[in-house]
Amino acid sequence: QVYEAMKISLEAAVKLAARYGDLARNLSKKATDQRSEELLMISETLEHVPLNGARNLFEAIQSFIILWQVMCLEQSPNPYAFSAGNVDRIFEPYRAMDDCSRAATAALFRHLLTFFNIGDRSWAISQNLLIGGKSEDGHDLTNEMTYAVLDAYYKSNYPQPILSVKLHRNTPKLLHEALGRFLFTPGALTPSFFNDDSMFRVLKKAGVEGKDLPDYSIAGCQEPLIMGRDNANTTNSWLNLAKILELTLADGKSTISGKKIGLTYSDLGLNPADPVDVLKKVKPAFYRQLEHFTGRMASAANGCSRALSNLKVPFLSSLMGGIESGVDMRDTAKQGTRYNGSGCLIHGLSVV
């Protein structure tokens, strides 16, 4: 049943492309000469991809758009904050097929960025595109596509999808210089930076295999996952540290509602009649209050994951290792991806 669902979902992407292709061909009959040629090109492209491999950058971007759209539709109304990964490495082989110029490449990529920002609910929200980085043995992996992507972002200046740049000790001077225009231009919205030298150590300690380290990507703001191999439910739960401190100082009561929702002074070993005692012991009391809530939070988060597993994602699973495992990636009883984990969004750290 899992494989049959994957087959149907993959065929859906081909059918969606065919529908867009037919629409473009019909519109071409009523369009002006130049627009008619453009629409016919779109139609012919959609007859080829995503069913067949892309033959150039234009086809690769069109194929990506169809596949990304199906992935988002499968998860409607709230797609995961997935990362497209290192788009410079993904698209560079296709750019090189016909040696697409930097200017033309940047123009095509601007089209992709615009696509991300369409619709009633922008599909770009919390999506993350990456460039740069290093190999497992420390060699720099920037390429021609890296700089074209920077050109596209600089000219479009969209707030989403987020652009992130992987830096390391061997990052070429040329890339640092290309980033300078963002840092010294008022109103420039991107990029974010990630240190490969540090990230490799952290991810390796967390159990990521060496060969997968160069393929780490970023979901949402800063949550790491491995491209095509990771079911990291990065926003599985939320934790408000400032609220926990408030409850610790206010005898377990919410200062908004007045209701008791946390451990009291007595529960925390504090003297209710002595405010100075409360303040002197607030740090260990805060950590005890925190422990009280994190256990409950983990239980609730696991329940959310089990509930979510009832909504299967065969299309996404097929692209994340499901074809090899035969398991839906949201399955909480079996692991369908190489890496699997849940994350917590922690708020109020600076306030605390």
Side-chain angles (χ1 to χ4, degrees), residues 11-64:
E11 289 172 346
V14 177
K15 290 180 180 179
L16 181 63
R19 289 179 183 176
Y20 278 128
D22 290 342
L23 179 62
R25 188 171 294 278
N26 290 333
L27 289 173
S28 71
K29 298 173 183 178
K30 302 176 183 179
T32 59
D33 290 344
Q34 180 178 345
R35 183 54 180 162
S36 179
E37 290 181 10
E38 293 171 351
L39 289 165
L40 286 172
M41 181 181 178
I42 292 172
S43 179
E44 291 168 359
T45 299
L46 289 168
E47 289 175 0
H48 187 76
V49 296
L51 182 59
N52 303 292
R55 297 166 293 190
N56 52 48
L57 182 61
F58 181 86
E59 289 185 351
I61 289 177
Q62 179 62 83
S63 184
F64 177 93

Side-chain angles (χ1 to χ4, degrees), residues 3-207:
Y3 281 124
E4 182 62 23
M6 289 181 185
K7 179 176 181 292
I8 293 171
S9 67
L10 291 167
E11 289 172 346
V14 177
K15 290 180 180 179
L16 181 63
R19 289 179 183 176
Y20 278 128
D22 290 342
L23 179 62
R25 188 171 294 278
N26 290 333
L27 289 173
S28 71
K29 298 173 183 178
K30 302 176 183 179
T32 59
D33 290 344
Q34 180 178 345
R35 183 54 180 162
S36 179
E37 290 181 10
E38 293 171 351
L39 289 165
L40 286 172
M41 181 181 178
I42 292 172
S43 179
E44 291 168 359
T45 299
L46 289 168
E47 289 175 0
H48 187 76
V49 296
L51 182 59
N52 303 292
R55 297 166 293 190
N56 52 48
L57 182 61
F58 181 86
E59 289 185 351
I61 289 177
Q62 179 62 83
S63 184
F64 177 93
I65 287 173
I66 291 293
L67 298 176
W68 194 265
Q69 185 174 351
V70 173
M71 186 202 77
C72 289
L73 289 170
E74 183 181 58
Q75 300 179 75
S76 293
N78 187 31
Y80 275 172
F82 270 122
S83 169
N86 265 92
V87 289
D88 51 353
R89 297 180 212 164
I90 292 170
F91 287 116
E92 173 58 20
Y94 302 101
R95 184 210 63 80
M97 285 179 177
D98 57 0
D99 194 25
C100 189
S101 69
R102 178 168 168 174
T105 299
L108 286 172
F109 203 80
R110 287 188 69 200
H111 171 75
L112 177 58
L113 293 178
T114 300
F115 162 79
F116 265 107
N117 284 277
I118 65 172
D120 293 333
R121 182 191 186 280
S122 172
W123 288 344
I125 297 300
S126 291
Q127 307 291 351
N128 211 308
L129 311 186
L130 290 94
I131 59 171
K134 68 174 184 176
S135 65
E136 185 182 357
D137 57 6
H139 287 93
D140 181 66
L141 296 177
T142 56
N143 52 54
E144 292 297 317
M145 192 76 203
T146 305
Y147 298 98
V149 171
L150 282 177
D151 293 344
Y153 262 98
Y154 186 74
K155 196 163 186 179
S156 295
N157 198 32
Y158 289 133
Q160 301 279 351
I162 303 164
L163 173 65
S164 293
V165 182
K166 296 178 176 180
L167 301 174
H168 56 98
R169 68 187 63 193
N170 293 321
T171 294
K173 182 180 178 182
L174 184 63
L175 180 57
H176 284 293
E177 291 174 344
L179 293 169
R181 57 187 154 162
F182 291 90
L183 303 179
F184 297 102
T185 299
L189 300 171
T190 53
S192 301
F193 298 111
F194 290 86
N195 184 336
D196 268 15
D197 298 321
S198 295
M199 287 295 292
F200 276 34
R201 290 194 296 272
V202 171
L203 293 173
K204 194 170 184 178
K205 187 176 181 180

